[in-house]
Amino acid sequence: MVQSSVLGFPRMGKLRDLKKATEAYWADKISRDDLLKEGKRLRLEHWKIQKDAGVDVIPSNDFAFYDQVLDHIQLFGVVPERYTKYGLDPIDEYFALGRGLQKPAQDGKPAIDVPSLEMVKWFDSNYHYVKPTLQDNQVFKLATQPKPVVEFLEAKEAGITTRPVILGPVSFLTLAKADRGQTTDPIDQLEKLLPLYVELLAKLKEAGVEDVQIDEPVLVFDLPAKSKAAFKPAYEKIGSLGNKAPRLVLATYFGDIVHNIDVLPALHSLYGIHVDLVRNPEQLETVIGALGPKQVLSAGVVDGRNIWKTNFKTAIEKVELAIQKLGKDRVIVATSSSLLHVPHTLESEKSLDPEVRDWFSFAVEKASEVVVIAKAVTDGPATVREALEANAKSVQARASSKRTNDPKVKERQAAVTDEMHNRKSPFPTRYAAQTKSINLPLFPTTTIGSFPQTKEIRIQRNRFTKGEITPEEYEKFIEKEIQDVVKIQEELDLDVFVHGEPERNDMVQYFGERLVGYVFTTHAWVQSYGSRCVRPPIIVGDISRPAPMTVKESKYAASISKKPMKGMLTGPITCLRWSFPRDDVHQSVQAQQLALALRDEVVDLEAAGIQVIQVDEPALREGLPLRSGKEREDYLTWAVKAFRLATSGVTDNTQIHSHFCYSEFQDFFHAIAALDADVLSIENSKSDAKLLKVFTNEAYPRHIGPGVYDIHSPRVPSEQEIKDRIEEMLEYLRPDQLWVNPDCGLKTRQWKETKAALTNMVNAAKFYRQKY
Ligand code: GLN
Ligand code: ZN
């Protein structure tokens, strides 16, 4: 029989219960016991959901109070001494690693002040994991009560047999780094770590575990040679336990493993291999061909990364293909990855239009999907006829819906020409025109868009959403906010103003709400890191812009200011990446639709007298495919084209800015340059100014504003610090090329520190203006 399986379940609970509990614990509002109890309640509830759905293979140890990699850091004792020295309770040490800890001295105990470990995006998702940091002489030590064992027993006690999930040794070390001041290459410590895996697996077996899911997602990367070579010794050692260990299913996801297929022979002793057949269905045959003679294939056919209902017909076809080659006993139907990346349940969405609601499937619903598919291929489609028919109907309805297909949008896309991606003139000509029309001093100062989003702003927005104040009242309120920030910018003597974005709840949602083709949920939260969740809007159909989205506010702001007012838009790639995209058309098509909508907005802003327009693309880098080569280049090609299509409709006189929140450009600088933005502002204050070398002279003739101070902290940088920063930048950039601005928007800051920091920034710029 073909089994059904889930690789992991979201932890937050139906109403973000885990977020509420952890935050309450951090604020000392609930006890440690209460927190632990809430974790237990959630685990049990999630196991029950899957059991009731009929899932055969239910995961355990997929739960984490903060992050699953952080769990492993503690499991193997990879905790730097700066955390262990306080002798904290394990859960408090755990949170200290995840989010840092500051505590004054108390009852004879010393003060505590430790920052968190670094957090990094988990593959190309918006989930962040805590990066393990190793010492040169790292001593690994297995926790006395290993969490995977404890949680397995907890489920067993509730009458539910689970398959514990653990992160494999090669991935754990490949995703790790040397602690500061250390030089170790973590993978070199494999031999020391392996005995702990052996010990852990033996303990799991003793506890009654039959199967373990061991995640080795790094197999989808272009692996460093050492990591790749590590698989053989690692799994030989682990395999040496024979039947003293549970059977292992090694899981990969978010990419294909074809380029690392030569690793598979070293994994033949394992019970099974899981691959992502949603992202890379074409790897199926190669992977089947590389399996050991008895090995099982776990076929990831239900998307763990997106919210669309699975197309049962195509999923069943994939599974049938595997069955033909392997037989029913060697195939498992699975989610493509953990369901961590999708919201909890569609049940909670009470106000979604029923037409589109029928197209979605969140974690609870996806658990049922694997069951239906497994049953269809085991007992025949007739046994699940109703489910298959309803699914076919829904898939058909979506494909032919007016909401997904807008002939006008398609017509417009067909009419896009190469020329539409190019500004009228090359940069030197444009720049000459802009110098005349905009008239800026040397070292122009500006900000990135948002000013503090005060409590008052949130209150008024809430009242407006609830209908407690009229649109007119709200508009008046926003105008007043704009007046205030304009006045403040005048006092600060900045050169290019912004309107402050007080009307925006979120830089993607705000635009989504004004575009046709998007829908919004009320409860569809997804964990981003720790207790932080995001609620991405969903792109359901062809995108178009029924009316201007930002012109009113920008025009008003310009009308009351003496200096140039910068229009502020979110770029096509960021709108795409920070939403749930469609899975029925290529992302490049969606990006182009967004670009055309934004192009109209850019042109309308220009017509309204806005001469400087910034199009933010902070998500451009995150979309970069995991492996170098053709796929990555293809992405960059269409992403750059989308940006250029959005911004090239203007005359030479209009200055186009763009903004990014990272400084790692090395691997795709050519794409940044190809955006052809007149001015770029980038996060830079915490990085080495040397990185700016790529922007020197011929390589980058246009203008650039590397952030001169960090906006993530309330700390006010002194004028001298900013001058020092500018001085460093001038080692690599021409004075006439350099803008002076903060790292990013100021919405999370308070006014007090904002004014102080910007005062120092403007003074520093003026100093250099004098000097040159
Ligand atoms: N314009 C946006 C702001 O200032 C940019 C935010 C971002 O880059 N993440 O808030
Ligand atoms: Zn930013």
Side-chain angles (χ1 to χ4, degrees):
M1 117 181 205
V2 178
Q3 290 193 310
S4 57
S5 98
V6 168
L7 261 54
F9 203 78
R11 307 147 182 161
M12 282 296 150
K14 198 169 173 178
L15 298 168
R16 284 181 296 161
D17 314 63
L18 183 60
K19 174 192 178 69
K20 289 171 192 160
T22 44
E23 290 179 358
Y25 177 65
W26 297 337
D28 266 334
K29 287 189 185 131
I30 64 168
S31 70
R32 188 176 301 145
D33 270 358
D34 288 342
L35 174 67
L36 298 179
K37 253 192 238 147
E38 179 66 350
K40 187 166 177 174
R41 181 188 73 79
L42 285 167
R43 289 192 291 272
L44 196 63
E45 188 172 302
H46 299 162
W47 288 324
K48 280 213 178 111
I49 288 171
Q50 297 172 80
K51 176 145 194 197
D52 293 346
V55 177
D56 299 310
V57 181
I58 298 170
S60 60
N61 197 42
D62 53 338
F63 176 87
F65 277 108
Y66 202 89
D67 166 48
Q68 74 270 15
V69 184
L70 181 51
D71 284 351
H72 278 67
I73 290 173
Q74 230 179 14
L75 178 67
F76 296 126
V78 190
V79 183
E81 200 255 347
R82 59 183 177 280
Y83 300 93
T84 53
K85 70 176 181 196
Y86 298 111
L88 293 165
D89 181 89
I91 188 87
D92 294 328
E93 181 188 274
Y94 175 83
F95 288 133
L97 288 155
R99 56 195 293 272
L101 183 63
Q102 267 182 327
K103 233 177 158 176
Q106 213 182 9
D107 311 330
K109 287 193 202 136
I112 304 181
D113 189 359
V114 273
S116 59
L117 290 180
E118 187 191 356
M119 228 165 25
V120 190
K121 282 206 170 159
W122 180 247
F123 295 75
D124 58 352
S125 74
N126 192 22
Y127 179 81
H128 301 65
Y129 74 96
V130 177
K131 210 166 180 52
T133 50
L134 269 63
Q135 314 303 318
D136 292 348
N137 60 354
Q138 182 67 49
V139 179
F140 297 103
K141 191 175 174 299
L142 189 66
T144 36
Q145 298 207 0
K147 178 172 173 281
V149 177
V150 173
E151 288 184 11
F152 172 80
L153 291 174
E154 190 181 293
K156 195 169 153 191
E157 198 171 299
I160 300 172
T161 307
T162 57
R163 182 174 77 181
V165 184
I166 58 178
L167 182 58
V170 183
S171 291
F172 181 74
L173 293 175
T174 303
L175 296 172
K177 65 169 188 184
D179 202 3
R180 24 163 226 249
Q182 306 289 300
T183 55
T184 180
D185 181 352
I187 197 73
D188 291 339
Q189 309 220 25
L190 179 70
E191 226 174 288
K192 274 200 285 179
L193 175 62
L194 284 177
L196 278 80
Y197 270 91
V198 168
E199 200 185 328
L200 173 65
L201 289 167
K203 283 196 170 155
L204 284 165
K205 178 79 180 187
E206 270 167 43
V209 172
E210 277 174 34
D211 291 306
V212 163
Q213 172 187 326
I214 190 156
D215 284 5
E216 288 286 12
V218 297
L219 270 175
V220 308
F221 284 146
D222 289 319
L223 273 178
K226 272 199 215 168
S227 292
K228 191 166 170 175
F231 275 95
K232 193 167 185 303
Y235 285 91
E236 256 167 21
K237 175 99 189 178
I238 287 174
S240 69
L241 266 175
N243 56 18
K244 287 203 201 74
R247 302 186 303 191
L248 299 184
V249 174
L250 180 135
T252 66
Y253 34 82
F254 301 162
D256 73 279
I257 58 168
V258 171
H259 55 291
N260 284 322
I261 205 76
D262 49 332
V263 168
L264 250 58
L267 305 174
H268 277 175
S269 67
L270 305 186
Y271 173 63
I273 303 290
H274 171 88
V275 286
D276 184 338
L277 296 177
V278 173
R279 196 66 93 77
N280 295 89
E282 77 293 341
Q283 67 178 323
L284 180 60
E285 296 212 20
T286 313
V287 173
I288 289 178
L291 290 177
K294 290 195 187 135
Q295 218 163 18
V296 163
L297 178 83
S298 166
V301 292
V302 168
D303 197 348
R305 272 286 287 278
N306 210 335
I307 45 69
W308 301 103
K309 205 175 244 187
T310 304
N311 181 330
F312 282 159
K313 187 166 168 288
T314 44
I316 289 171
E317 277 165 12
K318 288 180 210 168
V319 178
E320 288 288 7
L321 207 71
I323 291 175
Q324 266 172 30
K325 301 250 166 81
L326 300 169
K328 284 187 188 176
D329 291 334
R330 285 180 62 199
V331 177
I332 301 176
V333 171
T335 56
S336 66
S337 65
S338 164
L339 297 174
L340 178 66
H341 312 280
V342 296
H344 186 90
T345 177
L346 198 49
E347 268 308 294
S348 307
E349 298 303 324
K350 307 288 184 215
S351 44
L352 266 181
D353 176 338
E355 186 194 4
V356 296
R357 194 178 191 277
D358 179 53
W359 304 341
F360 300 155
S361 169
F362 297 172
V364 170
E365 294 75 33
K366 282 174 192 273
S368 296
E369 289 185 345
V370 284
V371 175
V372 172
I373 297 169
K375 198 154 170 36
V377 295
T378 304
D379 304 328
T383 57
V384 280
R385 210 189 60 217
E386 249 173 70
L388 298 188
E389 280 175 4
N391 181 269
K393 222 170 116 194
S394 160
V395 168
Q396 172 57 34
R398 180 177 162 212
S400 57
S401 164
K402 281 213 184 73
R403 297 188 74 135
T404 50
N405 298 291
D406 183 342
K408 281 215 193 76
V409 173
K410 295 206 167 69
E411 245 167 64
R412 200 161 169 217
Q413 287 188 283
V416 169
T417 59
D418 284 351
E419 224 157 84
M420 288 166 74
H421 298 88
N422 298 328
R423 296 287 300 268
K424 312 242 158 7
S425 315
F427 176 71
T429 317
R430 267 162 25 212
Y431 185 60
Q434 290 161 23
T435 311
K436 275 193 213 133
S437 63
I438 307 171
N439 185 28
L440 290 171
L442 212 50
F443 299 104
T445 54
T446 190
T447 59
I448 307 304
S450 56
F451 270 106
Q453 287 252 339
T454 57
K455 201 164 157 204
E456 180 61 17
I457 295 181
R458 278 196 293 268
I459 292 174
Q460 295 299 339
R461 185 183 301 139
N462 238 323
R463 294 182 63 197
F464 172 57
T465 320
K466 287 195 190 132
E468 290 169 18
I469 54 171
T470 64
E472 293 72 30
E473 283 168 319
Y474 184 62
E475 191 177 323
K476 275 271 151 308
F477 169 75
I478 293 295
E479 283 186 354
K480 174 78 178 56
E481 286 293 318
I482 295 175
Q483 285 164 27
D484 290 350
V485 299
V486 165
K487 187 151 169 283
I488 291 167
Q489 292 174 92
E490 259 152 26
E491 283 161 12
L492 289 165
D493 202 19
L494 285 152
D495 299 308
V496 174
F497 287 8
V498 296
H499 76 284
E501 307 179 21
E503 77 288 9
R504 302 189 190 175
N505 40 11
D506 171 275
M507 68 186 286
V508 172
Q509 190 179 338
Y510 182 80
F511 289 91
E513 282 169 353
R514 281 153 187 79
L515 291 166
V516 173
Y518 264 100
V519 300
F520 302 87
T521 59
T522 49
H523 293 77
W525 297 95
V526 178
Q527 187 178 10
S528 168
Y529 62 85
S531 68
R532 191 173 153 75
C533 300
V534 293
R535 200 178 38 167
I538 304 172
I539 304 179
V540 293
D542 289 336
I543 296 160
S544 59
R545 185 196 74 144
M549 306 182 280
T550 64
V551 175
K552 192 173 73 187
E553 289 80 9
S554 285
K555 199 172 162 180
Y556 174 74
S559 75
I560 57 167
S561 28
K562 300 190 184 81
K563 299 265 182 82
M565 176 58 60
K566 183 158 67 169
M568 197 58 60
L569 304 173
T570 303
I573 304 304
T574 302
C575 284
L576 177 72
R577 292 289 315 174
W578 291 355
S579 307
F580 283 116
R582 296 168 72 170
D583 65 349
D584 55 344
V585 294
H586 194 268
Q587 294 200 3
S588 60
V589 175
Q590 302 171 63
Q592 192 186 52
Q593 294 176 355
L594 284 159
L596 285 167
L598 287 162
R599 181 182 175 94
D600 295 345
E601 186 74 11
V602 168
V603 168
D604 282 348
L605 281 170
E606 181 184 57
I610 306 297
Q611 287 178 303
V612 183
I613 301 168
Q614 178 175 311
V615 180
D616 293 327
E617 280 293 23
L620 183 65
R621 186 172 208 291
E622 165 192 318
L624 211 59
L626 296 169
R627 294 175 48 214
S628 61
K630 184 171 176 328
E631 203 193 336
R632 189 176 281 190
E633 284 315 311
D634 285 350
Y635 163 75
L636 287 173
T637 305
W638 62 255
V640 167
K641 275 180 98 171
F643 181 89
R644 292 177 64 127
L645 182 60
T647 52
S648 295
V650 289
T651 63
D652 287 349
N653 293 353
T654 297
Q655 190 168 66
I656 298 291
H657 289 222
S658 187
H659 165 71
F660 308 104
C661 313
Y662 42 79
S663 49
E664 300 91 29
F665 297 109
Q666 295 67 25
D667 44 354
F668 75 126
F669 174 73
H670 63 293
I672 302 284
L675 296 177
D676 200 26
D678 297 310
V679 183
L680 271 187
S681 60
I682 57 174
E683 176 170 320
N684 188 256
S685 73
K686 281 179 295 178
S687 331
D688 196 331
K690 251 192 235 125
L691 294 178
L692 298 172
K693 221 172 165 169
V694 292
F695 292 101
T696 317
N697 296 322
E698 298 86 63
Y700 199 83
R702 294 176 293 279
H703 291 190
I704 173 158
V708 294
Y709 78 89
D710 176 24
I711 51 85
H712 297 100
S713 132
R715 195 176 160 272
V716 176
S718 69
E719 188 181 321
Q720 189 55 47
E721 255 176 86
I722 298 178
K723 280 189 200 156
D724 293 346
R725 199 65 201 160
I726 296 176
E727 194 69 44
E728 278 171 27
M729 291 171 181
L730 284 169
E731 280 180 43
Y732 305 99
L733 303 170
R734 300 186 317 270
D736 69 286
Q737 185 185 21
L738 193 59
W739 283 59
V740 178
N741 47 258
D743 264 351
C744 190
L746 299 160
K747 59 173 163 270
T748 56
R749 293 272 59 82
Q750 304 287 320
W751 268 113
K752 192 164 164 280
E753 71 245 19
T754 298
K755 283 188 195 168
L758 290 176
T759 304
N760 294 346
M761 183 186 92
V762 171
N763 286 338
K766 283 181 178 168
F767 172 84
Y768 279 96
R769 207 170 286 161
Q770 287 288 317
K771 200 170 156 191
Y772 283 88

